[in-house]
Amino acid sequence: MPLPKPPTKRASLLEPSAFASTLAVSKTPQAIPSRAAAIETMAAPSVVASPTKAPSRAPTRSAARKQAPAVAPSPQPSLALVTPSPAPAPQKAAKPKAAAKPRIAGPAKLFVLDTNVLMHDPMCLFRFEEHDIYLPMITLEELDGHKKGMTEVARNVRQVSRDLDALAASLQSSTLEEMAQGLPLDHTGHREAGGKLFFQTGLIDTPLPQGLPQGKADNQILGVVQALQRQQPGREVVLVSKDINMRIKARALGLPAEDYRNDKTLEDSDLLYTGVQALPADFWDRHGKTMESWQQGGITYYRISGPLVPSLLINEFIYLEAPGAAPLYAKVTEITGKSAVLRTLKDYGHQKNSVWGVTARNREQNFALNLLMDPDCDFITLTGTAGTGKTLMTLAAGLQQVLDERRYSEIIVTRVTVPVGEDIGFLPGNEEEKMGPWMGALDDNLEVLARGDSSSGEWGRAATNDLVRSKIKIKSLNFMRGRTFLNKFVIIDEAQNLTPKQMKTLITRAGPGTKIVCLGNLAQIDTPYLTEGSSGLTFAVDRFKGWGHSGHITLARGERSRLADFASEVL
């Protein structure tokens, strides 16, 4: 016997009145049917269904379940089953969203989107939950002017145009009246968007103040917001723009304006995961009684259980420094239920454990070298101010594992080509030669690493430099689409200038046996429309925390020079 077809529509929720009526009926003694009535109820569907030959058994059972509350109080239950099309069921199934979204008390907000919001995040149309979106005609004109090219902005504009075309194609008849009623944003599969999209379908003539030029696109959008406020006084109309001056002008005219905040991972950069946690002074007193310890391969392990375990994450570093006692530096390697396993660290501050001649000068650098030299960590993020040793330690760890341990085949270095000041124009040469001026930090650190070997002489140092250069490849970010890195040590420098989409593109290039290290200083963001909360580096740190094959360290103390440390504090 073939199985019935699966349902094609989502089930609807029962209204509160249905529960109240069911409870009221169950409390009355007259609502309990007799055994004969129950037998008649079970026999009635077969009598009715026999001459009509129902096509499948699934609709009959579902109809019986929907009618069960109505059958119980009825003295003649067979009449309810004879009815060919029950009225309440289709009405409830036709409006599933009305009962599922009682999140706002009044009408939904109407957000007027500026063009830069669509250019920044092409998926912003579906990230306003139950609220509605309004696109002025001048916004569509500006999108049409930025669709050509191979830049990230042009790609985002083309993606927005495709989404708008898919929403417009979902209409039954593209009439002006239907467009004025709004396009449901969930027709293209984005169920999280419960609002509608409205286009400007008519001319809006709203005089702006005399000081604002009438022909500028920003001022026309402000005029649209002002006109919508007058047309819909009972509804909150808000302008959303990434342009600070645009929001200032809107507030000066008395119009509500907001920044696009959906791209921000954190509202405050101080809440960013640091990867390090200091243990309380009474750690041994509170956890020593139930603690287990053992040694394996010269490394000490501790299994703890107590109030500290819920606050720990995998690959998080903990330390305890008490006067008169030996310090404890460990990493969380396992969390099972209410217990966690801590593993002591290798001391890279000692000269015998130096990495390519580099030793750790502080606690955070020792934590970072433990992550960089761990073969089980595939993704590492290092943040910190200028001079904390991010690039030097990463490059030393890469050379150690490529040339000495042969764990990786080569080092690949890339970064975003965003200038600090004015651009100097086009650069000659091939890809690696064009990226040469952007890799000044790489050359400086290679010079420091080559200076440490003084016993081989000048010829030996020159040969070592040539060997090191042959194992380091400099790649541009613009040609990363579609590539796959196998058994590579990838360094992404200045990662704070990456957007979350660019960060995802780079991380997904990793193949088997590849380690990716992201370096950046969130206080030195040069990309427009990116902040500390919306940077791709912040996005990666927040999403990868707690994963068993990733780690993060925020380097706190600079080790470049006393001049650089003082300048980073007072300037």
Side-chain angles (χ1 to χ4, degrees):
M1 179 178 180
L3 295 175
K5 296 182 180 180
T8 58
K9 294 184 179 180
R10 184 179 296 180
S12 60
L13 299 177
L14 289 177
E15 297 181 355
S17 59
F19 294 100
S21 61
T22 304
L23 292 175
V25 167
S26 61
K27 291 181 180 179
T28 57
Q30 292 82 2
I32 303 176
S34 61
R35 186 173 181 180
I39 296 175
E40 183 182 358
T41 305
M42 297 174 62
S46 60
V47 174
V48 176
S50 56
T52 57
K53 294 287 183 180
S56 64
R57 209 182 280 180
T60 307
R61 291 178 178 177
S62 60
R65 291 193 190 100
K66 290 183 179 179
Q67 297 296 332
V71 171
S74 175
Q76 295 179 355
S78 59
L79 296 178
L81 295 171
V82 175
T83 306
S85 59
Q91 292 179 0
K92 292 181 183 178
K95 295 182 180 181
K97 294 183 179 62
K101 287 193 179 270
R103 287 183 285 181
I104 53 175
K109 295 181 181 180
L110 183 62
F111 289 102
V112 182
L113 300 188
D114 195 3
T115 314
N116 49 46
V117 178
L118 298 168
M119 294 179 179
H120 177 70
D121 184 8
M123 300 299 294
C124 65
L125 294 172
F126 312 103
R127 293 179 175 171
F128 287 87
E129 297 181 348
E130 73 272 14
H131 303 290
D132 298 334
I133 297 174
Y134 189 93
L135 292 183
M137 194 59 66
I138 190 62
T139 298
L140 301 178
E141 288 290 334
E142 287 189 311
L143 289 176
D144 186 67
H146 291 84
K147 66 182 180 181
K148 296 181 180 180
M150 298 301 296
T151 62
E152 189 71 21
V153 172
R155 294 191 193 97
N156 293 343
V157 169
R158 291 193 291 268
Q159 179 63 39
V160 171
S161 300
R162 287 191 289 268
D163 291 338
L164 293 178
D165 181 65
L167 289 172
S170 64
L171 293 177
Q172 297 179 358
S173 60
S174 299
T175 60
L176 190 62
E177 292 77 9
E178 191 174 1
M179 291 286 289
Q181 294 177 1
L183 310 178
L185 290 169
D186 57 354
H187 274 191
T188 56
H190 299 274
R191 298 299 179 185
E192 68 276 7
K196 292 184 177 182
L197 173 64
F198 294 91
F199 291 100
Q200 181 182 350
T201 57
L203 179 63
I204 297 179
D205 187 12
T206 302
L208 290 173
Q210 296 295 329
L212 294 178
Q214 300 294 327
K216 194 174 180 181
D218 290 352
N219 299 333
Q220 294 184 28
I221 295 176
L222 292 175
V224 170
V225 176
Q226 196 172 23
L228 289 174
Q229 273 194 334
R230 295 177 181 176
Q231 292 177 3
Q232 305 181 22
R235 192 177 191 183
E236 187 175 358
V237 182
V238 182
L239 172 66
V240 181
S241 175
K242 297 291 294 182
D243 190 355
I244 298 177
N245 294 328
M246 179 79 162
R247 299 198 300 266
I248 292 175
K249 287 196 296 185
R251 295 188 180 103
L253 296 176
L255 304 175
E258 295 180 3
D259 188 12
Y260 180 66
R261 298 191 298 267
N262 196 279
D263 61 334
K264 293 184 179 180
T265 306
L266 296 174
E267 292 292 337
D268 190 359
S269 61
D270 295 335
L271 302 177
L272 185 65
Y273 172 64
T274 61
V276 180
Q277 184 176 161
L279 295 178
D282 58 347
F283 170 74
W284 297 112
D285 298 334
R286 302 180 65 180
H287 299 81
K289 296 180 179 179
T290 59
M291 182 182 297
E292 303 177 12
S293 63
W294 67 93
Q295 286 190 350
Q296 183 179 352
I299 300 175
T300 305
Y301 292 85
Y302 299 95
R303 184 183 299 276
I304 63 172
S305 59
L308 183 67
V309 175
S311 65
L312 298 178
L313 293 173
I314 297 292
N315 287 341
E316 185 178 13
F317 291 89
I318 61 174
Y319 68 93
L320 176 60
E321 296 175 344
L328 172 65
Y329 302 107
K331 184 178 74 170
V332 182
T333 59
E334 180 186 344
I335 298 177
T336 306
K338 298 182 179 180
S339 64
V341 177
L342 311 179
R343 187 183 68 185
T344 56
L345 304 178
K346 189 176 182 179
D347 185 15
Y348 286 100
H350 200 279
Q351 189 63 36
K352 67 176 182 179
N353 296 328
S354 63
V355 179
W356 202 259
V358 174
T359 58
R361 293 188 178 183
N362 55 53
R363 180 179 59 235
E364 284 77 17
Q365 285 189 356
N366 187 31
F367 294 162
L369 286 175
N370 273 275
L371 276 179
L372 292 169
M373 299 300 294
D374 189 356
D376 291 333
C377 283
D378 301 332
F379 181 73
I380 299 171
T381 51
L382 299 180
T383 60
T385 58
T388 51
K390 302 183 295 294
T391 308
L392 180 65
M393 290 189 302
T394 304
L395 194 57
L399 292 174
Q400 177 87 10
Q401 296 174 86
V402 168
L403 295 176
D404 292 350
E405 301 178 5
R406 305 293 179 89
R407 188 176 297 162
Y408 307 101
S409 59
E410 63 181 1
I411 299 175
I412 294 179
V413 185
T414 184
R415 60 164 290 175
V416 188
T417 54
V418 179
V420 177
E422 295 184 4
D423 201 349
I424 62 175
F426 292 99
L427 298 173
N430 54 21
E431 178 188 359
E432 191 159 346
E433 291 172 350
K434 288 178 182 294
M435 291 295 296
W438 298 99
M439 292 298 172
L442 176 65
D443 298 333
D444 297 340
N445 287 282
L446 283 178
E447 183 181 352
V448 173
L449 294 174
R451 189 183 304 170
D453 189 9
S454 59
S455 60
S456 58
E458 185 175 353
W459 288 99
R461 285 196 299 270
T464 302
N465 289 337
D466 293 340
L467 177 62
V468 167
R469 291 285 184 179
S470 66
K471 291 295 184 180
I472 298 177
K473 298 294 188 295
I474 300 173
K475 300 297 181 182
S476 175
L477 183 67
N478 302 332
F479 308 106
M480 289 294 179
R481 184 77 70 181
R483 296 200 58 181
T484 302
F485 297 129
L486 301 176
N487 201 30
K488 300 290 192 297
F489 190 92
V490 183
I491 302 175
I492 305 175
D493 201 8
E494 304 296 336
Q496 75 275 1
N497 290 322
L498 290 170
T499 63
K501 186 177 180 181
Q502 291 173 334
M503 180 66 75
K504 179 181 179 180
T505 302
L506 286 178
I507 296 175
T508 52
R509 301 306 98 205
T514 295
K515 181 193 287 285
I516 295 182
V517 184
C518 295
L519 315 175
N521 181 10
L522 292 173
Q524 296 180 352
I525 296 178
D526 303 317
T527 305
Y529 303 128
L530 273 188
T531 60
E532 296 180 3
S534 61
S535 171
L537 182 58
T538 306
F539 180 76
V541 171
D542 187 71
R543 292 296 190 271
F544 276 90
K545 65 180 181 182
W547 187 46
H549 301 284
S550 68
H552 168 72
I553 290 295
T554 300
L555 300 170
R557 203 175 83 187
E559 299 290 349
R560 179 170 289 168
S561 66
R562 58 188 178 187
L563 173 61
D565 296 343
F566 184 73
S568 62
E569 293 176 1
V570 300
L571 295 182

Short mmCIF file of all heavy atoms in Angstrom, two decimals, residues 23 56 168 183 273 282 298 323 350 374:
data_model
loop_
_atom_site.label_atom_id
_atom_site.label_comp_id
_atom_site.label_asym_id
_atom_site.label_seq_id
_atom_site.Cartn_x
_atom_site.Cartn_y
_atom_site.Cartn_z
N LEU A 23 -11.46 23.42 27.74
CA LEU A 23 -11.44 23.25 29.20
C LEU A 23 -12.84 23.38 29.79
O LEU A 23 -13.22 22.65 30.70
CB LEU A 23 -10.51 24.29 29.82
CG LEU A 23 -9.02 24.11 29.50
CD1 LEU A 23 -8.21 25.26 30.08
CD2 LEU A 23 -8.51 22.79 30.07
N SER A 56 -7.05 9.56 -0.31
CA SER A 56 -5.97 9.14 0.61
C SER A 56 -6.49 9.16 2.01
O SER A 56 -7.48 9.80 2.33
CB SER A 56 -4.74 10.06 0.48
OG SER A 56 -5.09 11.35 0.89
N ALA A 168 9.64 40.95 -6.69
CA ALA A 168 8.65 41.50 -7.61
C ALA A 168 8.02 40.40 -8.48
O ALA A 168 6.85 40.50 -8.86
CB ALA A 168 9.29 42.57 -8.50
N LEU A 183 5.14 44.06 -0.90
CA LEU A 183 5.57 42.72 -1.28
C LEU A 183 5.99 41.96 -0.03
O LEU A 183 6.87 42.42 0.72
CB LEU A 183 6.77 42.80 -2.25
CG LEU A 183 6.63 43.73 -3.46
CD1 LEU A 183 7.92 43.71 -4.28
CD2 LEU A 183 5.46 43.31 -4.32
N TYR A 273 35.62 38.58 23.41
CA TYR A 273 36.28 37.44 24.05
C TYR A 273 37.78 37.63 23.99
O TYR A 273 38.36 37.85 22.91
CB TYR A 273 35.83 36.17 23.34
CG TYR A 273 36.57 34.91 23.74
CD1 TYR A 273 36.48 34.41 25.03
CD2 TYR A 273 37.33 34.21 22.81
CE1 TYR A 273 37.13 33.25 25.39
CE2 TYR A 273 37.98 33.04 23.16
CZ TYR A 273 37.88 32.57 24.45
OH TYR A 273 38.53 31.41 24.81
N ASP A 282 41.23 31.98 45.71
CA ASP A 282 40.88 30.79 46.47
C ASP A 282 40.58 29.59 45.57
O ASP A 282 39.77 28.73 45.93
CB ASP A 282 39.67 31.08 47.36
CG ASP A 282 38.46 31.55 46.56
OD1 ASP A 282 38.63 31.87 45.36
OD2 ASP A 282 37.35 31.58 47.13
N GLY A 298 55.19 14.15 30.15
CA GLY A 298 55.81 15.32 30.75
C GLY A 298 54.88 16.50 30.94
O GLY A 298 55.33 17.59 31.32
N PRO A 323 51.35 35.61 45.22
CA PRO A 323 52.67 35.85 45.83
C PRO A 323 53.07 34.70 46.76
O PRO A 323 52.26 34.20 47.55
CB PRO A 323 52.48 37.16 46.59
CG PRO A 323 51.00 37.29 46.80
CD PRO A 323 50.36 36.63 45.64
N HIS A 350 61.45 30.44 28.03
CA HIS A 350 62.81 29.93 28.25
C HIS A 350 63.53 29.82 26.91
O HIS A 350 62.94 29.48 25.88
CB HIS A 350 62.76 28.57 28.95
CG HIS A 350 64.04 28.19 29.62
ND1 HIS A 350 65.10 27.66 28.93
CD2 HIS A 350 64.43 28.30 30.91
CE1 HIS A 350 66.10 27.42 29.76
NE2 HIS A 350 65.72 27.80 30.99
N ASP A 374 50.56 24.56 18.27
CA ASP A 374 49.67 23.42 18.50
C ASP A 374 49.15 22.89 17.16
O ASP A 374 48.45 23.62 16.45
CB ASP A 374 48.51 23.84 19.40
CG ASP A 374 47.68 22.64 19.86
OD1 ASP A 374 47.96 21.51 19.42
OD2 ASP A 374 46.74 22.85 20.66
#
